[in-house]
Each structure stands twice: as structure tokens, then as C-alpha cells.
Amino acid sequence: MNEEIRAREVRLVGPDGEQIGIKPFREALQMAIDMDMDLVNVAPMAKPPVCRIMDYGKFRYEQQKKEKEARKNQKIVDVKEVWFRANIEEHDYQVKYRNVVKFLGEGNKVKASVRFRGREITHAEIGQRILDRLRSEVADLCVVERVPKLEGRSMVMILAPKNKDKD
């Protein structure tokens, strides 16, 4: 901006967005100074570069306000983890199932894991059945982001909530 611009002539845009035309750099800078504003290079790669007369401080302030507003409106998605055991009882399964439904309802992703202890790992199909049952019971609330997969001593599946906007 201003003195940092290194071009002989620039395409000048006025403070209201009107095209002024191609002007020598010194003349464009003098016009900006006369209006008590700044000369800002908005398209440096163009031939000739496009410069705009604007109040740069006010422009930066409004940009920061827009960014702050955008950050305030964004939704942070957490990944909640629910652990199952290979020999889980029905009531314990129901409690964890309700937690999965609650987390998905809040808009969070769920990492459902079956943890194997000792020699339970030899019967990985039991964990597969538990995660398949969970997947079928919450199918209307979510999409499977990652299918059940054995990782060390755990079988992991990731569920993401369905977008309410698209339904």
C-alpha cells in the first residue's frame, strides 16, 4: 500500500468502486492523499496492477469483525469415544447405546470401540457382531465414517451424525 507499491502506472479504482482508469503511480498516490485515504494494491499480478483508494484501517477493522463473527458461528465437532467389551451384558450395551444416540444428537462424532482382553482377541468376530448391531440400530441417525477395523487389541468404528440440512 501507498509508498510500497513498485509500479510506474496503475489501474485506479475509486473509493466507491468506480473505475478511474490507468494513471501514473505518483498521480494515483496524490489523489489518495488528497482524499485523506490510502492507495492499496488489490491485484498486484495484473498488468497494470489494480490499486484502490480506501481507508485501509477501516477495511482491516471490518475484515477482523467478519472473521470474528465467522468463528463465533462455526460448530466444533468433538469425537466422543464409547468403549464396549467383547462379553458385554445386554443392560450395559443399552446404556452405551443411549450414550451413542445422545452424542450423535448433539452433533458429535462417535468412536465406538470394542476392547479385547487376554485371549478374547482370538474371537474378533464377537466384537464385529457388537459393532454391526450398533451400526444397524443407529443407522437412521448417522453415517459410518470408518467401518469396524481391528487396531491392536481394539476394534474401532467411527460414526458421524447425518446433516439435518440435507434431509
Side-chain angles (χ1 to χ4, degrees), residues 60-154:
R60 289 237 353 251
Y61 170 73
E62 288 177 2
Q63 288 294 106
Q64 289 171 345
K65 239 169 73 170
K66 285 180 191 173
E67 289 172 10
K68 186 177 178 185
E69 191 68 29
R71 277 196 303 275
K72 190 165 64 171
N73 290 337
Q74 77 183 14
K75 169 80 172 91
I76 292 121
V77 177
D78 289 333
V79 177
K80 303 285 187 169
E81 190 162 10
V82 180
W83 286 100
F84 294 89
R85 289 286 318 279
N87 56 351
I88 192 167
E89 291 294 324
E90 181 59 28
H91 181 263
D92 295 336
Y93 174 84
Q94 291 299 325
V95 169
K96 294 188 185 270
Y97 164 76
R98 282 195 298 275
N99 282 336
V100 168
V101 171
K102 181 178 79 171
F103 295 150
L104 289 170
E106 292 170 356
N108 296 314
K109 291 183 179 182
V110 176
K111 180 179 177 183
S113 305
V114 178
R115 187 178 281 168
F116 298 103
R117 289 183 12 199
R119 294 176 66 182
E120 292 174 347
I121 195 76
T122 59
H123 298 287
E125 70 278 356
I126 296 171
Q128 182 75 38
R129 280 198 301 262
I130 291 169
L131 292 178
D132 286 341
R133 176 181 172 195
L134 178 69
R135 177 174 37 186
S136 65
E137 290 179 1
V138 294
D140 55 329
L141 300 173
C142 66
V143 292
V144 177
E145 200 169 87
R146 194 164 82 200
V147 294
K149 181 180 172 198
L150 201 58
E151 294 178 355
R153 291 201 148 286
S154 301

Side-chain angles (χ1 to χ4, degrees), residues 28-78:
L29 184 61
Q30 191 57 48
M31 287 175 72
I33 291 170
D34 291 345
M35 293 182 193
D36 199 28
M37 293 186 170
D38 299 306
L39 185 66
V40 180
N41 195 349
V42 292
M45 297 317 233
K47 296 283 185 220
V50 179
C51 293
R52 182 169 183 179
I53 297 174
M54 68 168 75
D55 184 352
Y56 190 67
K58 182 179 176 184
F59 172 75
R60 289 237 353 251
Y61 170 73
E62 288 177 2
Q63 288 294 106
Q64 289 171 345
K65 239 169 73 170
K66 285 180 191 173
E67 289 172 10
K68 186 177 178 185
E69 191 68 29
R71 277 196 303 275
K72 190 165 64 171
N73 290 337
Q74 77 183 14
K75 169 80 172 91
I76 292 121
V77 177
D78 289 333

